[in-house]
Amino acid sequence: MTLQFQPDMQVKPDVAAFFDPQTNTISYVVKDPASNSCAIVDSVLDIDYAAGRLSYESADKIIEHVKTNGLTVEWIIETHVHADHLSAAPYLQEKLGGKIGIGDQITIVQDTFGKVFNEGTEFQRDGSQFDRLFADGDTYQVGSMTAHVMATPGHTPACQTHVIGDAAFVGDTLFMPDGGSARADFPGGDAGVLYDSIQRVLALPDSTRLFMCHDYGPNGRDIKWETTVADEKAHNIHVGGGKSRDAFVAMRTARDETLDMPKLILPSLQVNMRAGDVPTDKDGNPMLKVPLNKL
């Protein structure tokens, strides 16, 4: 597969990772080595779902890092609408500034789950809750660094990989080599499309650093979040070694049928399709819905 662009492998962004053990999510602060500009990727808002309480410990660690190092946040990036954790994007934007960006296919996700949650006409399904909707092939700047946006759907329609110099932030498109790939059975997901998207990622230069959004420590190993294109091509248990599209689709489909829904899927989707804002009732009180027999 041919790349639409050539990443500048001489640019090596400084990447600070923040692991959230409650959701096995890794968030990133991506700094331009030539300036104090940075982007935040896939932040986490803490929730005690049983108690109905939100808190900000995970986001505050990012804020402390940014302020301690004198960084300027230019972008707050969502690689997709997460189904397993809530985004802290509005909280981070309030404290640090920056623009919130996501893939332009968010409108499909909003339409699909707007129906699931029986949202009224006041819920806009045009992506206007976000500051920027990225199309496949778009670019944006983080200081002197040019970030390239690659559409990598399959897990969800709005999934994207953000390539910044020699680093790529893949969201849920790939896991570490011993973790394989993400599920493709959510509404709008497609295992064949996911395979094609993974091939786009693996067409990046072999030395490209790949940063995962999740890791679950398979077989009891320590949590990890960074690998390379070469390592994924050689060793990924789902797509490595040149595994065919048909074999991947068969494996992924069978595996997905055995998986439970993520514990936080209901609050996550409601919040994340709103760019991290919590929905409210008619009196303006923060309120989440629990639709029955919809997923």
Side-chain angles (χ1 to χ4, degrees):
M1 185 171 290
T2 304
L3 281 175
Q4 295 174 304
F5 63 93
Q6 288 301 317
D8 187 348
M9 300 297 287
Q10 301 303 310
V11 174
K12 301 182 184 300
D14 299 325
V15 180
F18 300 82
F19 177 68
D20 172 46
Q22 296 303 114
T23 63
N24 288 82
T25 302
I26 304 98
S27 307
Y28 299 99
V29 175
V30 188
K31 178 188 174 296
D32 174 18
S35 73
N36 287 327
S37 296
C38 71
I40 298 170
V41 180
D42 290 336
S43 62
V44 173
L45 175 67
D46 301 297
I47 183 171
D48 181 340
Y49 193 26
R53 292 192 183 95
L54 298 175
S55 57
Y56 303 94
E57 291 89 349
S58 295
D60 285 340
K61 291 177 183 176
I62 292 176
I63 292 170
E64 180 182 9
H65 175 83
V66 167
K67 290 186 174 180
T68 298
N69 291 280
L71 305 182
T72 299
V73 175
E74 297 191 351
W75 289 96
I76 301 170
I77 299 297
E78 303 290 347
T79 56
H80 62 293
V81 174
H82 308 277
D84 45 22
H85 72 271
L86 283 65
S87 168
Y91 178 76
L92 291 172
Q93 186 178 54
E94 177 186 355
K95 301 294 184 181
L96 300 172
K99 296 179 180 179
I100 302 173
I102 199 169
D104 59 358
Q105 299 304 298
I106 177 63
T107 55
I108 297 175
V109 178
Q110 289 176 327
D111 184 61
T112 298
F113 289 103
K115 295 172 183 175
V116 169
F117 292 106
N118 194 29
E119 300 292 353
T121 55
E122 71 278 1
F123 172 58
Q124 298 298 312
R125 295 160 171 82
D126 58 1
S128 57
Q129 300 88 342
F130 299 82
D131 298 312
R132 172 84 180 269
L133 301 184
F134 298 111
D136 183 35
D138 276 356
T139 63
Y140 60 96
Q141 293 298 126
V142 181
S144 66
M145 303 188 298
T146 299
H148 296 267
V149 180
M150 294 171 52
T152 47
H155 173 61
T156 80
C159 288
Q160 293 182 331
T161 293
H162 291 251
V163 183
I164 310 174
D166 76 336
F169 300 86
V170 301
D172 284 7
T173 301
L174 273 173
F175 293 155
M176 293 295 290
D178 60 348
S181 61
R183 66 196 299 164
D185 62 331
F186 293 151
D190 185 291
V193 171
L194 178 59
Y195 179 88
D196 297 338
S197 293
I198 291 171
Q199 300 313 306
R200 295 194 77 186
V201 174
L202 298 184
L204 291 165
D206 280 356
S207 59
T208 303
R209 295 181 289 160
L210 301 181
F211 292 91
M212 312 293 109
C213 184
H214 297 286
D215 186 64
Y216 302 94
N219 301 311
R221 70 151 166 77
D222 291 341
I223 297 297
K224 298 180 180 179
W225 48 76
E226 180 181 347
T227 183
T228 64
V229 167
D231 200 23
E232 292 281 14
K233 286 198 293 190
H235 303 297
N236 185 283
I237 60 172
H238 292 170
V239 296
K243 186 168 290 185
S244 72
R245 191 180 196 270
D246 288 346
F248 176 83
V249 170
M251 175 281 302
R252 189 71 263 170
T253 302
R255 181 174 174 79
D256 288 349
E257 290 175 354
T258 71
L259 299 177
D260 294 329
M261 282 289 163
K263 293 179 181 179
L264 295 179
I265 187 171
L266 294 177
S268 295
L269 291 173
Q270 290 175 80
V271 168
N272 296 340
M273 70 181 183
R274 291 175 164 85
D277 283 328
V278 179
T280 59
D281 63 15
K282 60 182 179 62
D283 297 319
N285 300 305
M287 193 70 62
L288 296 167
K289 297 177 181 178
V290 181
L292 301 179
N293 302 322
K294 292 287 190 178
L295 294 177

